[in-house]
Each structure stands twice: as structure tokens, then as C-alpha cells.
Amino acid sequence: MSGQRPQDAAAARRLGEALRGLQRSSGRTLRALETQVRISDSSLSRYFRGETVPPWPVVRDLCRALGADPSVYRALWEAADRSRPDDPAPAAPPPKP
């Protein structure tokens, strides 16, 4: 996670910990989950450690596979999603004639 701001890294870890907690409480192995959501166990492991932020559809599918309401995890994902700009750039004013 080099080059990542500390708050982004912390948000990614929080999301990963929440997803890992779901997986552990379900009693499902990474291999079993891999088969159901069609994501490699190595990718799942990176997501659960907070090293990589999964795309929202992956978080949604993981939550559903683990019997959780995805909407509960949306805010965690939004905080961790590094691809979203912090502040959208303002639109440039139109040129004067």
C-alpha cells in the first residue's frame, strides 16, 4: 500500500477486518468462499488483510455469500475506496467571448 495516505490505509484495514470478521463468523474457509464468489483465495486474503480494496460488486457479493446486508458495509467501502477523488475538481468557467 505504498504511496497511500495513512487515513486511506486505515480505512482499507477497517474494511478488511470487517469482511474477515464476516468470513470467520460464518465458519467458511477461503477456499469454500472462493468457489462461491469466484474470486481467488489469494485475492480474498489481500482484501481481508486490507492490502487491496475490492470493487463494490465484490464486497456486495461477499456480504451476500456470508449472509450479511451489503448496505451495512457500503460506508466502510466508500471510505476505503482509493479510486474516488477526495474533492472533485471544480468545473472550469466557460471562456469569455
Side-chain angles (χ1 to χ4, degrees):
M1 288 197 295
S2 64
Q4 190 176 18
R5 295 179 313 185
Q7 63 268 32
D8 289 341
R13 280 193 303 276
R14 281 191 300 275
L15 174 63
E17 289 167 2
L19 294 173
R20 171 63 100 186
L22 278 177
Q23 182 257 334
R24 285 184 176 160
S25 66
S26 76
R28 311 261 314 272
T29 65
L30 288 180
R31 296 263 182 204
L33 195 53
E34 168 188 39
T35 302
Q36 187 172 0
V37 295
R38 298 179 187 252
I39 296 170
S40 71
D41 63 340
S42 61
S43 290
L44 289 171
S45 184
R46 283 192 302 277
Y47 297 155
F48 293 164
R49 287 192 308 265
E51 292 177 3
T52 305
V53 177
W56 171 246
V58 170
V59 174
R60 181 197 61 217
D61 292 349
L62 283 170
C63 289
R64 289 177 179 164
L66 295 168
D69 179 2
S71 66
V72 173
Y73 295 85
R74 182 69 190 214
L76 282 172
W77 175 80
E78 288 176 356
D81 182 29
R82 295 181 298 266
S83 66
R84 293 173 5 138
D86 290 334
D87 296 310
K96 293 184 179 183

